[in-house]
Amino acid sequence: MKAQEGPAKPELVEQGWRTFLVKVQNEAGITPVLSVDSPNSGKLAGTPEGQVGRRFLDLQMFDKQPMRPRLSGLELEYRLLQLYSSHAGKREARLSFNVGQGHAGDDFLTQALTTGSKQ
């Protein structure tokens, strides 16, 4: 499995959610939960002072009906990634997609970029 930036413009909306389609090429046919994380997301409470300015993002994989939390095992499927930006202006975020442990390609971790936020 691998992640790479697609044709969608990586623009976020200040104080709003944006949904992106994630194409998953699952040649190993594994069925774990696909999760996403970013050092630019997380709670501000308790964050070291030097990192507060970098925390502008909230993110989640949409896995409610009609989607399912786990990958289907099909060679090709699509998932929905939701991103929220609390700030305006040009910003960069690093996203990590992970399928967990105990599968082919253990601890799959790939970075992608989102490069903007607009008012």
Side-chain angles (χ1 to χ4, degrees), residues 5-12 18 20 83 91 113-117:
E5 190 173 331
K9 289 186 179 183
E11 294 178 341
L12 302 178
R18 180 107 194 265
F20 293 89
L83 299 175
R91 300 194 178 269
L113 295 177
T114 182
T115 57
S117 182

Side-chain angles (χ1 to χ4, degrees), residues 3-9 18-24 34 60-62 67 76-83 95 97:
Q4 65 185 45
E5 190 173 331
K9 289 186 179 183
R18 180 107 194 265
T19 302
F20 293 89
L21 189 63
V22 177
K23 181 179 179 179
V24 179
L34 177 66
Q60 65 185 21
M61 296 301 294
F62 181 83
M67 306 301 287
L76 175 65
E77 66 182 282
Y78 294 88
R79 308 302 284 183
L80 298 173
L81 170 63
Q82 297 175 310
L83 299 175
L95 306 178
F97 294 90

Side-chain angles (χ1 to χ4, degrees), residues 31-34 61-72 77-80:
T31 60
V33 172
L34 177 66
M61 296 301 294
F62 181 83
D63 61 4
K64 306 295 185 249
Q65 289 281 349
M67 306 301 287
R68 296 176 186 253
R70 295 185 164 280
L71 295 175
S72 68
E77 66 182 282
Y78 294 88
R79 308 302 284 183
L80 298 173

Side-chain angles (χ1 to χ4, degrees), residues 11-118:
E11 294 178 341
L12 302 178
V13 179
E14 179 186 8
Q15 301 294 319
W17 287 93
R18 180 107 194 265
T19 302
F20 293 89
L21 189 63
V22 177
K23 181 179 179 179
V24 179
Q25 293 179 309
N26 184 0
E27 294 172 7
I30 58 177
T31 60
V33 172
L34 177 66
S35 61
V36 63
D37 194 17
S38 174
N40 305 101
S41 69
K43 306 274 186 241
L44 289 177
T47 298
E49 185 177 336
Q51 295 180 9
V52 170
R54 290 182 256 163
R55 299 263 172 108
F56 66 94
L57 191 65
D58 195 2
L59 63 154
Q60 65 185 21
M61 296 301 294
F62 181 83
D63 61 4
K64 306 295 185 249
Q65 289 281 349
M67 306 301 287
R68 296 176 186 253
R70 295 185 164 280
L71 295 175
S72 68
L74 295 173
E75 190 172 321
L76 175 65
E77 66 182 282
Y78 294 88
R79 308 302 284 183
L80 298 173
L81 170 63
Q82 297 175 310
L83 299 175
Y84 174 90
S85 176
S86 60
H87 294 75
K90 199 157 186 88
R91 300 194 178 269
E92 183 176 287
R94 187 167 293 272
L95 306 178
S96 300
F97 294 90
N98 190 336
V99 293
Q101 298 180 6
H103 300 285
D106 287 44
D107 294 321
F108 164 73
L109 197 65
T110 302
Q111 287 79 35
L113 295 177
T114 182
T115 57
S117 182
K118 63 180 184 180

